[in-house]
Amino acid sequence: MYNLDQFMAEVERRNPGQPEFIQASREVIESVIDVVNNNPKYLENKILDRIIEPDRVYEFKVEWEDDNHEIQVNRGYRVQFNNAIGPYKGGLRFAKNVTLGTLKFLGFEQIFKNSLTTLPMGGGKGGSDFDPIGKSDREILRFCRAFMTELQKYIGPDTDVPAGDLGVGGREIGYMYGQWRKIRNENTGVLTGKGQTWGGSLIRPEATGFGAMYFTNEVLKLNGDSFEGKRVSISGFGNVAWGSAMKASQLGAKVIAISGPDGYIVDEDGVGTPEKWDFMLQLRASNKNIVAPYAEKFGCKFVPGKKIWEVPVDIAFTCALQNELNGEDAKLLIKNGVKYAIEVSNMGCTPEAIAEFHKARIPFGPGKAVNAGGVATSGLEMTQNAQHIKWDAAEVDRNLHAIMKNIFEACVREGKEKDGYVNYVKGANIAGFKKVADAMCDQGF
Ligand code: 2IT
């Protein structure tokens, strides 16, 4: 039998200095421990001891030259966490504060998220402490080439298929894929999120945001509600926030606030036109990491240095970073009448925030279920690459929609409590876990 505190004490002892990984693992283990303790097969197979340990971790040096012809050194990583149900799959994050602990938390989440998609994908994650902010296009190119020169030793279309994450978008995937092709002389879809003329899938750029809104739409329907007329806030202005703002608007909501590290903007007309969505993309591409220019451009309010969660809304969406919404933010949102809290970023809410939402019986959608549309559409890109064909946008969107509905139903099936309230955190963790655990048992240690 597993004991939660004992088990977590051991995880902490073995992973010093990795608080995000500890946080992510505690949430999953807490959710699944009863399922494991009630299943002799899982106990006999020591499933928790095995699932908590990455299969392997690569750490490598990335040397590149900046525009001043100075040599720069960064650290690159790829965490291959679990491939019991399919090749390792998960994004690459380029950000100054990336550590091995960050990527282990993301890789661990990815195992269960990928399992939820119903597609055959294992969990992995990678990245670098390279800071893209303020870098020139040529510097990004040189870094991406140097990064791929090392990474290509460890990946392959049936082994490990990276994609984008924070700091890695279409441009970076392009530069890395170009290097893969040169070194390996293979045009195999080893990365997803590729461009539309070289193997990318339609709807992949939009997919994380679209999928999040399809999931939210199901939550709304279950509560006899809809997007129509809802005032919503969306943190961030990157790829995920962009897709979310578009789909939320199309489904009838009004996106009244978006944010950046510099503060937030309030647009009472709604971030709801193609011009405004395109401007979000321009903000992201400018590599400055600030949202303030939106207020200037569209003549609305900018609130510097404050968190977006002080804006009263019906639905709050986290679309930026881990732990961006804490217990105090949750209390404020609840006090201001929030009806739904939806985590789109990976681990966007602290455990304290989630506890507040649960206590107030506010439906809370966890990132690993809500944002799974991104990696699911990456899976669809892999399918198209393997078949050497390209689907039209409607085909991809139909599949994405079906997958999100499936994930929602799995969460409800495993997470419904006695009073009818759905604990989506528990539901997502249990549903994602069972499939991977069964696969591990079937295949032996
Ligand atoms: O967190 C995520 O699921 C991603 N960054 C996307 C991963 C992928 O392989 O598309």
Side-chain angles (χ1 to χ4, degrees), residues 89-91 110 113 125 161-165 192 204 346 371 374-375 378:
K89 181 83 196 88
Q110 203 80 43
K113 181 198 310 199
K125 202 87 188 187
V161 182
D165 192 82
T192 59
R204 176 63 189 91
N346 290 310
N371 73 29
V375 73
S378 279

Side-chain angles (χ1 to χ4, degrees), residues 168-343:
V168 179
R171 172 178 58 173
E172 291 76 14
I173 292 291
Y175 293 157
M176 286 190 273
Y177 194 67
Q179 186 72 348
W180 163 266
R181 226 172 16 79
K182 281 186 196 129
I183 296 178
R184 302 289 280 253
N185 195 18
E186 274 180 32
N187 203 329
T188 43
V190 75
L191 301 177
T192 59
K194 297 186 291 301
Q196 294 304 322
T197 57
W198 38 281
S201 174
L202 287 161
I203 309 287
R204 176 63 189 91
E206 296 88 345
T208 310
F210 279 22
M213 296 307 130
Y214 295 153
F215 185 95
T216 306
N217 208 21
E218 296 300 322
V219 175
L220 288 161
K221 280 199 289 193
L222 184 73
N223 288 275
D225 208 343
S226 82
F227 265 117
E228 205 51 54
K230 290 279 180 308
R231 289 165 64 84
V232 313
S233 58
I234 291 179
S235 64
F237 59 86
N239 173 265
V240 176
W242 165 77
S244 300
M246 286 197 290
K247 189 51 82 180
S249 309
Q250 286 164 7
L251 294 173
K254 190 180 250 192
V255 181
I256 58 158
I258 58 172
S259 67
D262 54 333
Y264 66 86
I265 64 98
V266 179
D267 184 351
E268 281 295 339
D269 294 333
V271 186
T273 61
E275 194 195 357
K276 290 176 176 177
W277 301 327
D278 285 349
F279 193 72
M280 290 174 80
L281 291 182
Q282 286 172 36
L283 279 179
R284 151 77 177 92
S286 74
N287 267 7
K288 292 202 186 98
N289 214 17
I290 49 173
V291 77
Y294 182 102
E296 254 164 71
K297 166 108 176 148
F298 297 106
C300 56
K301 189 166 93 174
F302 172 61
V303 181
K306 289 287 185 61
K307 284 170 103 175
I308 191 171
W309 313 124
E310 64 186 30
V311 181
V313 286
D314 300 311
I315 317 178
F317 292 100
T318 67
C319 296
L321 271 179
Q322 64 268 23
N323 293 328
E324 56 176 306
L325 195 162
N326 63 29
E328 292 310 309
D329 301 323
K331 278 188 201 155
L332 185 59
L333 278 164
I334 294 165
K335 186 170 139 249
N336 287 336
V338 78
K339 297 188 181 76
Y340 305 89
I342 309 288
E343 184 184 63

